Amino acid sequence: MQVVVNGAVRTLVGEPEYTLLDALRLDLGLTGTKEGCRSGDCGACTVLIRESGQLPFYPVNSCILPVGQLEGQEVLTVEGLAQDGELHPIQGAMVDHHGSQCGFCTPGFVMALAGWLEHQKIKDVEDQPATQAIQEAIAGNLCRCTGYRPILEAARAALLKPLPVLGVGATAGQDALSDPTNRSLAELGLERNQRGQMNPGEQAPQAADLEQSSEIATASQTLGDSAQDRVAAFRVGLDPNGGGARAFYAPEDLASLHLILSALPDAVLIAGGTDLMLAVTQSGGALGDVVSLSKVQAIQSIELNEDSGVIGAGATYSDLMDSARIAWPELHRFLSRLGSPQIRNRGTVGGNLGTASPIGDMLPILLAMDAMVVISSAKGVTRQLSIGDFIQGYRKTALNQSDYIREVRIQGLQDFHRYYKVSKRQEDDISSVSVAVRVQTQGQCIRDVSVAVGGVADRALRLADIESAFIGKSLTEASTLDISALVGEVISPISDVRASAAYRTAVTARLIQRAMIEASGDSMATIYEAASDA
Amino acid sequence: MRKLAGENHASAMTESLGKARPHESALQHVTGAALYGDDTPLPSDVLYVATGQSPVAAGKISEINLAQVKRSLGVVDVLTAADVPGSNDVSPVYTGDLLFAEDRVDFHHQTLIAVAATSQKLAEAAASRLEVLIEQETPRLTVDQALNANDFVLPTRVFRMGDAASAIASAEHQIEGQLHIRGQEHFYLEGQVAVAVPTETGGVSVITSSQHPTEVQKLIADVLAVPINEVQVKVRRMGGAFGGKETQAAPLACIASLFAVRTGRTVKYRMPRRDDMVQTGKRHDFEAKYSLGFDSLGRLQGADINLSARCGYSADLSEGIVDRAMFHADNAYSLGAAEIVGRRLRTHTVSNTAFRGFGGPQGMLTIECALDEVADHLHEDPVDIRLINLYRPDACFTPYGQEVTDFRLRPMMEQLITDARYRERRAEVTAFNQTSTYLRKGLALTPVKFGVAFTATHLNQAGALIHIYTDGSVILNHGGTEMGQGLLTKVQQVLAGAFGITVDRIKVTAAATDRVPNTSPTAASSGTDLNAMAVLDAAETLKQRLSSFLISQGAGSDIRFGGDQITDGQTVWSWLDVIQRAYLNRVSLSATGFYKTPDIYFDKEAGRGRPFYYYAFGAACTEVVVDSTTGEHRVTQVDILHDVGRSINPAIDRGQIEGGFVQGMGWLTTEELLWNNSGELMSNSPSNYKIPTAFDVPERFNVALYQKDNPEATVYHSKAVGEPPLMLAISAWCALRDACRRPGEQLPALGVPATPEQVYWAMTGERSHAQRRDLQ
Ligand SMILES: Cc1cc2nc3c(=O)[nH]c(=O)nc-3n(C[C@H](O)[C@H](O)[C@H](O)COP(=O)(O)OP(=O)(O)OC[C@H]3O[C@@H](n4cnc5c(N)ncnc54)[C@H](O)[C@@H]3O)c2cc1C
Ligand code: FES
Ligand code: FES
């Protein structure tokens, strides 16, 4: 398969779980990108990628990114950032502000910030980012030496400088562009992009579309041999010998996805890979045939209406964060606590559902928002399950073989809701406890309430007994109701490395209570607000 | 003319010394060009290493079955203890640190065997197929368990000054307490790595990420059973070390070397992060107990401080580390009569090792924790109790008998109290806490006094090597290693100042055992103190030679170097001109230099002496806010005043101060090491061991250097700055504890680290939960 790396077309071969980091370091000799953890936690391996020449680059963790997902895309590493011997503004600023000590984390910071600056460029220049925005931009990058202050200052300084154009099309990419194969790649990117630019109205696959797409799938399945050809067409040419037992497939539409899933019932689905790839990099596991969802635009759209919404399973957290800014501000705020920018740029809602981890942060929220999960079979036949029924146990879902999640539908955006997450560290940490509460009122009286929690059982769950304790009460009554004993009865969390059982129970009760106090109109300042005033 | 030369000299000084020059490798860092061990170009037949590890924490090995491992795809060679031709013991000072487990295992994940295979993946796959039978024993994991079993890695030591017990008993007031202090994982961003290339004579040439290339060299020679001169070790730079690469890098280099010699191929051993976290040593956990007697002003009359360290299964560097904890149990205070006891407990855990501060932080935290209780007992502001107890002219001897001279902390603390508006903010915090319902603030101002020098006196030596080439360019080499602390940058500046030439003429290079031999580790904050002085010595030799040469050619006797020129006050020659003429006249342009720190000695048995050349001082004021519903907290403001003597490079010094503070803050707030009851480390990856991110650093982070010449004859009268700032973060822990106090109640106990959970229990006063029982 071919990828554009720093403006040049490179051919890569390897197994389906072959990561971009290994490709860069071991095969392309680009050792500027560092390995610090291989688990998406440290950011030393950060590079920029983009779908095509027209979109801005965005930062990702190359250590957990399978190269199969990058065919025809563009990768920019720290070696490709400077152009014609001219440092990128963030590189210069990092030198000027003493942003590196041992330097091992530096390429990762430089790339994360170069990616962030790309996005600042297209934002309102008046909108000077606060320190917090920069801190969030590098929340996925660890530095053990500097204490970060000089890095934050470098970012602030770079922001004031004119930014170069990155990648193919920029001067550094001239050579690549003058090569006819590369030109066609660039054009291919362009074409993809145009295909990807759907009108807002078209985005969410509605029930009717679902039917239609399943027809397409059936139709193409009758094609017999040529169907096999179509399956093969989406096989990413990673194998050095052209054949081989395991392969990576990257379909681009539902019809092809259905074909592939039908042909390969044992294949494993990968969306962002931010969960799945850890099994490979941490436990040395190998994947079988892999089917990537990352290019299936049809399951990536997000539509948030006044009170309800549809989120494509393949939508990334970053996309969701953008969409939620106005329509679902509580989610927008909460998502900044999920993973890091690099993780949010790849990780998907479908992946969170597919993992069904007890500490999946979207799950309590979806439970509280009475979400319905739309599942499709390989034939394109869809069914809907409530999220409560979808999650069947510890990392166990109601998905059958070759099923995939197409989208999830939520409601109650108009209601009062609060989502909390407690972890040892504020940024890029896994929840000890997460709590989502949604309150529906009639006047001052609680008509209905959803209380969902994560991190306190083998799965995320709704706490029906707690909910009933609140229903019918006035908001003031609810805000003073002592539920700690009841919470202690209905949950029995475990003690582990993140928190003790006693703490989990105590904090769950306190957070539910806190939501009720806030619902009653008493806004409770957070430590972050307290930190930024005065 | 003389005046002119003087000016030139001054301008060369300002060009290099005291300037905030960027790191010598900054450009390579930001472009990805800087090479680390993992980036070493490798031949295509390179072999990769993985290890088979113990699945239990303690037991006798009854059988190791390698059949499956050897049969595994890509495997070229397999090693066990029996295959080591030389010594299997790779201890730095004493004995017991093993390369491979022999007849028993003593910690979970201890290395049993090593595999060399054609790829990293295949090596790991092969190692995972190891079959081992172990007669399991119940592991001893805690200090208390080891105390009960009376199991020590090294003997207990005591510092005594006067009769502490009766001084405490006869004092007006007493307090007693204890503190469980957890360790810390280094989490250097670059994991441990070594690459070994076999030589034609049965030796090896090794690239390692080590703070102590000489020791790596010696241990490889021991393991291979070859003379030391068959082994060359090189360190260009480390991606962070923090003490974690002082002894912990050697086993990797030894194993890679064994394979290289056996197979005749280049071998790379790079630990995956998880191995690094479970197999390498960490900061020591301590169980600290203290009892203090004091008068009604809060002035200490006597102190009895017991520091018991969990050393892990072997001694490693625990002797010096516990000593240093004891040396710092007074921090900046005259304790009155004192008894300080240091115990070194053996446990079935990985052998704990050096970590920035080297025991000092734990000793210092103990006394700071205790002083807060003194203040609480007397209802005084803790800062006043600290001030009243500072060393003073009539009380200036430490419990180990060293006189504290040039004590700067009183003016420093007073300046910081003013600059940080401590008194006003104390009132604001009190007012806030009176009205706030669930958010609470806390404030603390704590000092640091840190002793500089290796406490093992013989290590206080250094060597250097300088070559000047005929184009006037200079290569500089010394025994110090660069781990990000800016050593090479500072030494380059020092040499530029000495030669009076621009920094650009000087190239700093990798530490290499075949260029400067028998070096000490780059540790104890002494990298610049030692190596820069050795460099100055070599520079002086060269300057003498050049001066004599010029004089022999008819120049005046007062030769000066500066502004890229050399002058006798009458004539001015360019640097290049003199160098070229010296070469043509057969003057040697290469010299070595040597330095040993003067005036230090210590009698270990008596616990008396002058272990430190001087002290570095600092003070920090930290404010925090805490949410009582969850215990989540945030540092909102930090003000630091830190003593660096005369700074060689203020930007580098500031970087050390800020980085040290944040690293210390991580140790005391979010970084929690937890083992389960079978002795397996649970916090074994960055997903469950959380070092600070940029978000944890307050926007108001004010750092000022206290610049006043070091009266000792250190390089340009500067002071060491590597370790001391870490302990400034104690102010964050004290501030959190301050915030946890409920109005009208006693200061509660607070765990270390003060995670949200620990803060929550401290705030609710539910002591029973304050310590994790399920996890150690
Ligand atoms: C550093 C780091 C930090 C993280 N932080 C958080 C955090 O704060 N909160 C949190 O909740 N999670 C976190 N995660 C976990 C992970 O990012 C999320 O769970 C994410 O939602 C997974 O999405 P993905 O697209 O990457 O899933 P993948 O890894 O691609 O897939 C995960 C599983 O879901 C299945 N799957 C994916 N998409 C579908 C689909 N459409 N239909 C059926 N099955 C599907 C896959 O087959 C696989 O079994 C973190 C991970 C890392 C590495
Ligand atoms: S190597 Fe740490 S995030 Fe990729
Ligand atoms: S500079 Fe060393 S980790 Fe950041």
Side-chain angles (χ1 to χ4, degrees):
Chain A
M1 63 163 268
Q2 296 194 311
V3 190
V4 182
V5 180
N6 298 336
V9 181
R10 310 300 296 256
T11 302
L12 297 172
V13 291
E15 287 159 335
E17 58 274 0
Y18 181 44
T19 63
L20 177 58
L21 179 65
D22 281 348
L24 293 172
R25 291 185 56 85
L26 301 177
D27 293 326
L28 302 181
L30 294 170
T31 55
T33 306
K34 306 298 178 199
E35 176 185 324
C37 68
R38 237 165 214 271
S39 57
D41 289 291
C42 78
C45 66
T46 303
V47 299
L48 302 183
I49 63 171
R50 68 175 167 187
E51 191 77 26
S52 80
Q54 290 204 322
L55 299 168
F57 279 102
Y58 61 90
V60 294
N61 299 115
S62 63
C63 67
I64 50 172
L65 183 64
V67 288
Q69 291 191 323
L70 295 178
E71 188 172 47
Q73 297 193 23
E74 231 186 302
V75 177
L76 195 68
T77 74
V78 69
E79 290 93 344
L81 198 57
Q83 291 174 6
D84 297 334
E86 180 105 356
L87 294 182
H88 184 279
I90 189 61
Q91 291 175 307
M94 285 287 277
V95 173
D96 293 345
H97 292 267
H98 308 276
S100 69
Q101 288 185 16
C102 80
F104 197 82
C105 68
T106 312
F109 275 95
V110 162
M111 296 316 283
L113 284 169
W116 175 74
L117 288 166
E118 284 277 281
H119 292 263
Q120 298 312 301
K121 193 166 60 178
I122 51 178
K123 277 194 193 151
D124 191 354
V125 272
E126 297 294 296
D127 184 18
Q128 272 285 320
T131 304
Q132 193 174 330
I134 309 174
Q135 286 172 325
E136 281 183 10
I138 54 174
N141 293 79
L142 298 177
C143 174
R144 195 51 152 164
C145 298
T146 62
Y148 302 102
R149 198 263 325 149
I151 302 176
L152 296 170
E153 257 171 41
R156 234 176 268 129
L159 197 64
L160 304 174
K161 301 259 168 68
L163 287 177
V165 179
L166 299 182
V168 175
T171 35
Q174 283 305 329
D175 294 347
L177 265 181
S178 56
D179 176 337
T181 27
N182 299 343
R183 192 186 304 269
S184 67
L185 259 171
E187 281 161 7
L188 179 68
L190 207 81
E191 194 189 301
R192 279 214 179 103
N193 182 37
Q194 281 163 348
R195 235 198 296 158
Q197 300 274 311
M198 285 187 275
N199 296 327
E202 285 176 4
Q203 281 198 355
Q206 299 298 313
D209 301 337
L210 300 181
E211 301 301 323
Q212 210 187 337
S213 58
S214 60
E215 267 166 41
I216 296 170
T218 333
S220 36
Q221 263 162 351
T222 59
L223 293 176
D225 279 352
S226 71
Q228 290 305 317
D229 294 345
R230 285 206 58 192
V231 170
F234 288 97
R235 184 175 171 134
V236 177
L238 268 172
D239 196 293
N241 311 314
R246 304 182 287 129
F248 195 98
Y249 296 86
E252 297 184 7
D253 54 37
L254 288 178
S256 327
L257 173 64
H258 294 159
L259 273 176
I260 295 165
L261 290 177
S262 307
L264 303 165
D266 293 325
V268 44
L269 285 173
I270 188 166
T274 60
D275 191 86
L276 191 68
M277 288 302 285
L278 296 189
V280 174
T281 65
Q282 297 305 295
S283 327
L287 305 174
D289 286 318
V290 177
V291 180
S292 170
L293 299 172
S294 67
K295 289 185 181 172
V296 187
Q297 302 261 2
I299 63 164
Q300 290 171 4
S301 51
I302 299 164
E303 188 179 280
L304 297 177
N305 301 317
E306 214 159 275
D307 193 55
S308 63
V310 184
I311 306 164
T316 64
Y317 292 119
S318 294
D319 288 344
L320 187 54
M321 236 176 126
D322 281 347
S323 310
R325 194 180 299 270
I326 307 291
W328 195 354
E330 180 66 2
L331 182 73
H332 175 79
R333 190 191 56 76
F334 180 87
L335 285 178
S336 72
R337 297 280 311 274
L338 194 152
S340 62
Q342 290 92 323
I343 294 294
R344 293 195 294 270
N345 281 339
R346 296 301 294 176
T348 65
V349 177
N352 213 256
L353 283 162
T355 309
S357 154
I359 41 181
D361 278 333
M362 279 307 289
L363 305 180
I365 294 174
L366 295 175
L367 278 161
M369 306 308 278
D370 286 324
M372 298 299 292
V373 182
V374 177
I375 300 171
S376 171
S377 73
K379 291 206 161 69
V381 179
T382 62
R383 64 194 162 111
Q384 290 202 12
L385 279 183
S386 78
I387 172 150
D389 292 335
F390 174 83
I391 304 171
Q392 302 222 314
Y394 178 74
R395 288 185 164 250
K396 198 166 172 315
T397 69
L399 290 172
N400 296 322
Q401 195 182 39
S402 44
D403 276 356
Y404 68 95
I405 307 160
R406 200 173 275 189
E407 63 192 27
V408 33
R409 296 156 181 241
I410 51 103
Q411 52 187 296
L413 292 180
Q414 294 288 314
D415 300 329
F416 173 87
H417 40 256
R418 280 291 178 277
Y419 312 137
Y420 307 108
K421 166 172 178 170
V422 175
S423 51
K424 273 186 201 164
R425 187 176 73 193
Q426 169 73 10
E427 292 278 330
D428 197 1
D429 197 356
I430 304 295
S431 300
S432 306
V433 169
S434 64
V435 172
V437 175
R438 171 173 150 223
V439 185
Q440 300 173 58
T441 50
Q442 208 155 34
Q444 275 302 298
C445 184
I446 297 177
R447 184 164 55 80
D448 203 355
V449 60
S450 323
V451 176
V453 289
V456 300
D458 69 341
R459 69 191 87 174
L461 34 98
R462 287 268 292 260
L463 301 180
D465 291 343
I466 307 289
E467 293 172 355
S468 350
F470 288 125
I471 293 173
K473 298 250 164 26
S474 78
L475 283 170
T476 334
E477 279 173 325
S479 68
T480 54
L481 192 66
D482 185 358
I483 50 155
S484 43
L486 189 55
V487 169
E489 281 166 33
V490 298
I491 61 172
S492 43
I494 56 160
S495 282
D496 66 11
V497 66
R498 297 201 165 90
S500 72
Y503 177 67
R504 286 192 158 107
T505 308
V507 164
T508 302
R510 299 285 218 120
L511 288 176
I512 296 169
Q513 200 134 40
R514 183 178 181 126
M516 287 310 183
I517 296 172
E518 293 195 57
S520 72
D522 204 345
S523 82
M524 293 175 78
T526 66
I527 48 174
Y528 312 105
E529 289 149 8
S532 54
D533 59 42
Chain B
M1 278 308 262
R2 182 156 296 199
K3 195 152 179 279
L4 178 71
E7 272 170 10
N8 275 343
H9 185 63
S11 74
M13 287 278 293
T14 45
E15 255 170 44
S16 54
L17 286 161
K19 268 279 159 81
R21 287 188 59 83
H23 192 280
E24 42 84 15
S25 291
L27 201 61
Q28 287 71 38
H29 291 157
V30 301
T31 52
L35 294 178
Y36 299 79
D38 196 24
D39 307 332
T40 310
L42 301 167
S44 58
D45 70 344
V46 62
L47 297 176
Y48 296 85
V49 178
T51 55
Q53 304 165 9
S54 172
V56 299
K60 287 194 196 60
I61 301 175
S62 40
E63 196 191 323
I64 288 187
N65 183 348
L66 297 177
Q68 293 295 324
V69 179
K70 289 185 170 158
R71 212 172 296 144
S72 198
L73 194 68
V75 171
V76 174
D77 197 9
V78 180
L79 281 173
T80 67
D83 304 313
V84 179
S87 166
N88 182 46
D89 191 305
V90 290
S91 304
V93 191
Y94 292 94
T95 55
D97 297 281
L98 303 180
L99 200 53
F100 297 104
E102 292 170 357
D103 49 353
R104 52 172 296 115
V105 292
D106 287 300
F107 72 94
H108 212 296
H109 295 293
Q110 186 172 4
T111 299
L112 300 171
I113 64 146
V115 182
T118 51
S119 80
Q120 182 69 35
K121 218 171 161 180
L122 292 174
E124 282 171 29
S128 73
R129 300 172 78 176
L130 172 68
E131 288 168 14
V132 50
L133 270 178
I134 295 175
E135 281 172 50
Q136 210 171 327
E137 297 162 9
T138 309
R140 276 197 296 280
L141 303 173
T142 65
V143 162
D144 286 341
Q145 287 165 356
L147 276 174
N148 286 337
N150 217 8
D151 197 358
F152 299 88
V153 293
L154 289 168
T156 297
R157 284 211 182 123
V158 186
F159 297 159
R160 248 185 222 107
M161 189 161 79
D163 180 352
S166 57
I168 297 169
S170 60
E172 273 172 86
H173 301 272
Q174 290 83 20
I175 58 145
E176 249 181 40
Q178 66 184 70
L179 185 65
H180 175 62
I181 305 170
R182 283 193 192 281
Q184 185 178 23
E185 156 65 37
H186 301 86
F187 210 85
Y188 26 67
L189 261 282
E190 175 212 37
Q192 304 275 358
V193 61
V195 177
V197 183
T199 65
E200 60 191 22
T201 53
V204 279
S205 169
V206 174
I207 290 174
T208 167
S209 181
S210 164
Q211 293 169 250
H212 199 347
T214 286
E215 188 169 275
V216 171
Q217 179 194 29
K218 174 192 168 287
L219 292 173
I220 292 172
D222 286 355
V223 165
L224 294 177
V226 299
I228 293 181
N229 65 7
E230 288 291 350
V231 180
Q232 285 170 30
V233 171
K234 203 165 126 177
V235 181
R236 171 57 183 94
R237 60 171 65 81
M238 286 168 270
F242 317 111
K245 295 173 180 171
E246 187 170 342
T247 61
Q248 306 295 296
L252 287 90
C254 290
I255 291 176
S257 298
L258 277 168
F259 279 129
V261 169
R262 283 163 65 99
T263 60
R265 288 158 78 163
T266 298
V267 177
K268 173 168 168 178
Y269 181 3
R270 181 211 208 282
M271 277 187 173
R273 180 59 69 175
R274 184 164 305 222
D275 283 2
D276 207 319
M277 292 187 77
V278 299
Q279 289 202 297
T280 67
K282 300 160 200 325
R283 189 189 290 290
H284 288 60
D285 331 53
F286 273 75
E287 220 40 93
K289 295 203 167 89
Y290 48 86
S291 75
L292 302 180
F294 47 96
D295 64 17
S296 55
L297 294 173
R299 193 164 269 189
L300 298 179
Q301 312 295 313
D304 182 350
I305 298 174
N306 272 269
L307 301 168
S308 300
R310 174 162 83 164
C311 298
Y313 87 105
S314 68
D316 185 72
L317 298 172
S318 295
E319 179 186 38
I321 290 164
V322 176
D323 277 354
R324 194 170 270 272
M326 297 165 68
F327 285 129
H328 290 82
D330 60 338
N331 192 13
Y333 313 108
S334 167
L335 301 178
E339 175 155 318
I340 297 170
V341 183
R343 295 191 174 81
R344 298 161 177 84
L345 285 313
R346 186 195 307 280
T347 50
H348 292 116
T349 49
V350 65
S351 194
N352 281 330
T353 194
F355 195 142
R356 200 177 196 172
F358 207 69
Q362 297 95 319
M364 216 179 272
L365 179 62
T366 304
I367 188 67
E368 293 301 335
C369 166
L371 279 190
D372 276 338
E373 286 162 27
V374 170
D376 192 49
H377 188 88
L378 297 174
H379 304 288
E380 294 288 345
D381 187 322
V383 92
D384 292 322
I385 297 300
R386 292 190 160 95
L387 284 170
I388 199 175
N389 281 300
L390 288 179
Y391 279 111
R392 46 203 179 268
D394 62 340
C396 58
F397 280 90
T398 65
Y400 47 91
Q402 175 160 356
E403 184 178 359
V404 182
T405 54
D406 191 39
F407 186 69
R408 301 173 169 198
L409 270 172
R410 190 173 301 278
M412 287 179 68
M413 282 178 74
E414 274 158 8
Q415 185 181 331
L416 187 63
I417 287 171
T418 311
D419 293 351
R421 296 178 51 254
Y422 175 85
R423 304 278 176 197
E424 297 87 329
R425 281 164 64 205
R426 166 62 64 199
E428 286 160 20
V429 163
T430 308
F432 178 91
N433 288 345
Q434 270 158 5
T435 55
S436 173
T437 48
Y438 61 95
L439 290 184
R440 286 239 274 287
K441 292 186 176 176
L443 183 67
L445 191 154
T446 61
V448 169
K449 164 183 136 287
F450 193 77
V452 179
F454 286 100
T455 55
T457 306
H458 75 275
L459 293 177
N460 295 289
Q461 59 170 308
L465 174 66
I466 299 173
H467 303 319
I468 306 172
Y469 295 98
T470 51
D471 62 353
S473 67
V474 178
I475 265 206
L476 165 59
N477 207 273
H478 54 74
T481 55
E482 175 65 33
M483 58 196 91
Q485 83 280 41
L487 170 64
L488 298 196
T489 313
K490 281 187 173 178
V491 176
Q492 188 185 36
Q493 285 176 273
V494 166
L495 181 59
F499 279 161
I501 58 176
T502 58
V503 167
D504 307 337
R505 286 197 186 273
I506 302 168
K507 187 175 171 63
V508 288
T509 54
T513 55
D514 55 350
R515 294 207 202 147
V516 176
N518 310 326
T519 57
S520 293
T522 309
S525 305
S526 60
T528 308
D529 281 10
L530 295 175
N531 293 293
M533 288 303 268
V535 167
L536 281 180
D537 183 43
E540 201 46 48
T541 304
L542 286 163
K543 283 167 75 175
Q544 287 295 339
R545 280 190 211 145
L546 292 173
S547 300
S548 310
F549 162 66
L550 286 172
I551 293 166
S552 75
Q553 302 278 306
S557 61
D558 186 13
I559 306 285
R560 300 199 170 199
F561 292 69
D564 235 21
Q565 291 168 335
I566 301 173
T567 177
D568 62 353
Q570 303 293 323
T571 318
V572 175
W573 302 274
S574 77
W575 168 259
L576 178 61
D577 184 32
V578 174
I579 296 302
Q580 289 180 340
R581 284 173 51 208
Y583 168 73
L584 292 172
N585 286 277
R586 297 184 291 173
V587 175
S588 163
L589 294 174
S590 169
T592 59
F594 186 77
Y595 175 74
K596 59 179 182 179
T597 313
D599 302 334
I600 52 176
Y601 61 94
F602 193 68
D603 178 342
K604 290 177 183 176
E605 296 321 310
R608 278 275 170 296
R610 179 188 174 184
F612 302 117
Y613 189 30
Y614 61 87
Y615 295 100
F617 303 102
C621 177
T622 300
E623 184 174 332
V624 299
V625 61
V626 174
D627 187 328
S628 62
T629 51
T630 55
E632 290 169 290
H633 49 73
R634 199 160 167 73
V635 169
T636 53
Q637 179 168 346
V638 178
D639 293 86
I640 290 173
L641 184 59
H642 197 82
D643 164 34
V644 294
R646 194 202 305 180
S647 179
I648 295 173
N649 183 324
I652 285 178
D653 287 349
R654 183 171 180 193
Q656 289 299 300
I657 295 166
E658 291 170 344
F661 179 89
V662 171
Q663 198 173 66
M665 186 179 87
W667 169 49
L668 294 168
T669 58
T670 54
E671 299 180 33
E672 192 171 29
L673 285 171
L674 293 168
W675 281 259
N676 69 14
N677 288 330
S678 2
E680 184 168 19
L681 183 67
M682 294 286 95
S683 45
N684 57 3
S685 90
S687 85
N688 52 36
Y689 182 80
K690 309 309 277 188
I691 72 167
T693 68
F695 201 80
D696 300 310
V697 176
E699 201 166 342
R700 283 164 290 173
F701 191 177
N702 307 312
V703 175
L705 304 183
Y706 190 79
Q707 287 220 43
K708 185 174 165 227
D709 285 11
N710 187 349
E712 300 298 337
T714 53
V715 56
Y716 292 101
H717 296 283
S718 64
K719 282 194 180 185
V721 69
E723 292 168 288
L726 182 126
M727 285 147 275
L728 296 168
I730 291 173
S731 59
W733 185 84
C734 292
L736 283 168
R737 193 172 178 212
D738 182 46
C740 290
R741 180 210 311 269
R742 296 203 285 188
E745 288 186 20
Q746 246 194 333
L747 192 63
L750 176 64
V752 179
T755 56
E757 170 159 5
Q758 293 299 328
V759 168
Y760 180 84
W761 296 130
M763 297 192 95
T764 55
E766 291 176 61
R767 273 296 290 144
S768 59
H769 290 300
Q771 270 197 27
R772 300 286 303 264
R773 302 267 166 236
D774 48 326
L775 296 175
Q776 305 300 340

